[in-house]
Amino acid sequence: MRDYSAHDAIFALSSAKGRSAISLHRISGSRVLEVLLPYLIPAKIRSGSADRKNFRAADFEHAKSKYVTVSGSDGNIIDDCVVTFFKGPSSFTGEDTLEISTHGNPLITARLHSLLRAIGLREAKPGEFTQRAFLNGKLDLTRAEAIDQLIHTETEAGLDLARSASEGRISQVADRIKEQLTGIMSYFEAHIDFADDEVGSYDSKSKVDELLHIDSELRQLANSFSAGLKLREGLRVSFLGTPNAGKSSLYNALLGYERAIVTNVPGTTRDVVEDRLKIRNCDFILLDTAGLRSTDDQVEKIGVARTIQSSSAADIVCIVLDPSQLDAGSFADSIQKESAKLLSHLNRPKNQCVLNVLTKQDTWTPELRASVDLHVTKLRNSGYEIACTSSSSNNTAELAELLEKYHKRLTADTVTPESAVLISQRQYDKVQLARQSLGAAIDLVQKNDFPEKVASMLIQTAQHTCDIVGEIGTEDVLEKIFSSFCIGK
Ligand SMILES: Nc1nc2c(ncn2[C@@H]2O[C@H](COP(=O)(O)OP(=O)(O)O)[C@@H](O)[C@H]2O)c(=O)[nH]1
Ligand SMILES: [Mg+2]
């Protein structure tokens, strides 16, 4: 446990800045309670009265709250507060900690903080409470990073992933890999230290399978990063179609407000418009794009290029079609052809989903409706996903259902209660380093190379695996990690 001297006690407003019902202030450092005692009075005894009597340290029990009046160094009352004391090492930071809830007025905050400064405490840097918790061995780096994401994530899936990491899922997998490595390492170390007649003849290839198994665990961890990132940010859904197909209207109808400009002038949308969409607890980033057509207009040309770029990178592409522009006689063929033509402009990743969306349902003639019904059933039976919509009458239910279904399908493999999902670039980089050293070890083993060489690569692999969870590194590495945190966390 690091020993922070009393003058290195830190404080911060841990709740949001500004006016609110309550503000929460956090103070951490050795002996912070003793330092503050002269300013803490039982709330019922008003400051200045003859029977004013301060608390003693023994009055504060661990993890219990007290109703307390805090007074300034001039004896004037700052506020009536609820003070909770946490005795180190059983606190979040590992040090003695006080949490003070005041009325949520910035003027009260200013008075309290000026008292704390006057008695020698200093304002905490971003993430400094969590950094101290880490340095005091209260949590490892993956859990510290999880706390940061619990606060900052904007999606439901992000919250689930942060929860799982904060419960130590990544640490568990890293520990398991480390244990397996240690077991294998002992074989090679035995062959360094002892002669073959003592420990049996050296056959490094007997360890290949075990090493390949570890490699596959590390690969799975590495792959979880990009899948997790996608989930944390929301799946990207792009609307692709010709001008006036009804993309922007549909976009606005799904979002529930007029985000994109809608006109009957073909080529209205130029830039890619992005917004967040939540369907039940599935998060998406919805992209409205310029209609695909060849054009001489310089601005529209750039818009079309951006459409191609962002639709290529999307997780789900919605092919938006106005059926009145299709050949009603061979409707199914037209949908397939139109869809293939639009997709041919993209450079698609192999797991991209495609949904077909038919628009302007309110304008369909009875003949068109009959034709759509017939052909859509046929297409659905051959595996096409099709939603019929009408933005004018806010009918987007079929599309919303499809999006939700695909969100669940695409995410089912990534977030299971058992899965460990990497949640930071730092973790990913360490896993990749571990994989590199392990790859080198596997090469050596396959050549039945000297045990010294194999052991040295395995030690490196183990070191990088330890680094995922976080060994105490140099101060500047830690500063970099914790500086992105909130002040007061
Ligand atoms: N009646 C009706 N008109 C629509 C519907 N969706 C779009 N429109 C009209 O079709 C035209 C083109 O729509 P817009 O959303 O800008 O198409 P985009 O070019 O694909 O973005 C506009 O005049 C819209 O008002 C719909 O569901 N019903
Ligand atoms: Mg548009």
Side-chain angles (χ1 to χ4, degrees):
M1 181 83 47
R2 288 203 170 190
D3 184 26
Y4 286 98
S5 55
H7 70 262
D8 204 21
I10 51 172
F11 68 90
L13 172 67
S14 284
S15 53
K17 266 193 181 153
R19 211 171 293 278
S20 56
I22 290 169
S23 287
L24 183 79
H25 310 265
R26 208 180 211 181
I27 303 168
S28 177
S30 58
R31 301 177 48 77
V32 278
L33 178 60
E34 285 79 355
V35 174
L36 267 163
L37 274 180
Y39 310 94
L40 307 181
I41 316 154
K44 286 190 199 102
I45 305 173
R46 304 311 317 191
S47 164
S49 71
D51 56 351
R52 169 178 169 144
K53 192 168 129 266
N54 285 72
F55 282 112
R56 291 164 303 135
D59 295 327
F60 287 84
E61 285 176 62
H62 170 68
K64 293 265 166 66
S65 300
K66 271 197 167 326
Y67 191 36
V68 170
T69 296
V70 179
S71 70
S73 40
D74 52 6
N76 288 334
I77 289 172
I78 292 178
D79 198 10
D80 293 326
C81 318
V82 173
V83 175
T84 312
F85 174 60
F86 299 92
K87 178 88 193 124
S90 304
S91 63
F92 173 71
T93 57
E95 307 165 338
D96 287 358
T97 302
L98 288 174
E99 286 186 3
I100 303 184
S101 303
T102 61
H103 293 94
N105 184 331
L107 292 171
I108 296 175
T109 296
R111 284 189 188 183
L112 177 65
H113 289 197
S114 113
L115 165 72
L116 297 174
R117 268 190 294 272
I119 58 178
L121 278 64
R122 75 170 166 80
E123 248 145 318
K125 291 183 263 182
E128 199 171 0
F129 291 93
T130 315
Q131 186 172 354
R132 287 192 175 189
F134 170 70
L135 291 171
N136 287 329
K138 301 292 294 185
L139 39 76
D140 65 42
L141 271 190
T142 64
R143 290 178 207 229
E145 285 164 328
I147 288 175
D148 185 40
Q149 293 201 1
L150 275 177
I151 293 169
H152 286 112
T153 189
E154 294 188 42
T155 60
E156 299 286 338
L159 212 49
D160 292 341
L161 294 179
R163 260 254 67 81
S164 143
S166 77
E167 284 163 5
R169 200 75 74 237
I170 303 168
S171 323
Q172 282 162 10
V173 174
D175 284 350
R176 196 173 64 223
I177 292 176
K178 223 162 53 187
E179 245 169 60
Q180 291 168 3
L181 280 168
T182 312
I184 299 173
M185 218 129 65
S186 63
Y187 175 83
F188 294 95
E189 275 162 358
H191 282 277
I192 297 170
D193 295 339
F194 300 100
D196 280 5
D197 55 352
E198 287 172 288
V199 289
S201 64
Y202 178 62
D203 174 18
S204 71
K205 286 190 183 140
S206 65
K207 295 291 165 193
V208 167
D209 286 349
E210 286 171 67
L211 291 175
L212 286 175
H213 175 72
I214 297 179
D215 185 50
S216 86
E217 287 212 63
L218 283 171
R219 190 175 51 240
Q220 212 173 325
L221 261 189
N223 290 343
S224 74
F225 179 57
S226 61
L229 196 65
K230 208 177 262 183
L231 278 183
R232 284 205 305 281
E233 293 186 345
L235 293 184
R236 298 180 81 80
V237 180
S238 168
F239 285 178
L240 191 67
T242 50
N244 272 3
K247 299 179 293 301
S248 299
S249 306
L250 187 60
Y251 188 80
N252 291 343
L254 268 175
L255 290 177
Y257 79 111
E258 298 298 304
R259 172 74 170 87
I261 299 172
V262 171
T263 72
N264 57 4
V265 181
T268 304
T269 309
R270 303 296 182 86
D271 237 332
V272 176
V273 183
E274 265 195 45
D275 213 329
R276 287 196 167 281
L277 171 71
K278 197 185 192 77
I279 301 173
R280 272 181 275 269
N281 57 359
C282 301
D283 288 275
F284 300 91
I285 295 171
L286 213 54
L287 310 172
D288 185 24
T289 68
L292 283 190
R293 65 168 174 180
S294 53
T295 169
D296 291 330
D297 183 304
Q298 278 307 310
V299 183
E300 202 182 345
K301 252 188 192 161
I302 298 171
V304 169
R306 288 188 181 177
T307 299
I308 292 170
Q309 195 186 19
S310 57
S311 298
S312 294
D315 302 298
I316 299 174
V317 174
C318 294
I319 304 286
V320 181
L321 301 168
D322 175 355
S324 69
Q325 290 172 5
L326 300 176
D327 175 3
S330 54
F331 202 68
D333 271 359
S334 319
I335 291 184
Q336 282 172 304
K337 268 199 206 128
E338 199 57 28
S339 173
K341 196 165 110 197
L342 288 164
L343 289 172
S344 71
H345 296 282
L346 309 186
N347 180 16
R348 303 173 55 214
K350 60 178 184 305
N351 50 357
Q352 188 178 56
C353 300
V354 177
L355 311 179
N356 293 279
V357 186
L358 304 182
T359 58
K360 310 188 192 181
Q361 207 175 10
D362 55 299
T363 63
W364 297 359
T365 58
E367 298 77 50
L368 180 57
R369 190 173 299 273
S371 174
V372 169
D373 284 348
L374 179 72
H375 291 269
V376 160
T377 311
K378 204 164 108 190
L379 283 171
R380 279 184 179 145
N381 289 340
S382 58
Y384 273 70
E385 292 286 17
I386 303 183
C388 299
T389 64
S390 164
S391 310
S392 300
S393 45
N394 261 331
N395 180 5
T396 55
E398 275 188 12
L399 177 57
E401 245 168 62
L402 277 186
L403 288 174
E404 193 184 349
K405 175 170 137 189
Y406 273 87
H407 192 287
K408 296 213 164 109
R409 191 174 291 179
L410 288 170
T411 58
D413 297 340
T414 314
V415 194
T416 64
E418 304 78 38
S419 55
V421 179
L422 298 183
I423 56 167
S424 78
Q425 182 70 43
R426 185 199 64 78
Q427 295 167 4
Y428 176 76
D429 292 344
K430 299 296 178 197
V431 172
Q432 291 298 62
L433 286 175
R435 289 187 68 198
Q436 276 169 23
S437 315
L438 185 66
I442 292 172
D443 284 347
L444 292 169
V445 160
Q446 274 164 338
K447 287 188 267 174
N448 207 27
D449 215 319
F450 296 114
E452 287 85 348
K453 284 181 158 177
V454 180
S456 134
M457 280 302 134
L458 292 180
I459 288 168
Q460 276 190 30
T461 313
Q463 185 54 51
H464 294 312
T465 309
C466 287
D467 288 347
I468 302 169
V469 172
E471 302 290 281
I472 294 184
T474 52
E475 289 289 325
D476 55 332
V477 172
L478 293 180
E479 296 272 310
K480 195 163 157 247
I481 294 171
F482 289 101
S483 62
S484 65
F485 280 51
C486 294
I487 289 183
K489 188 63 232 177

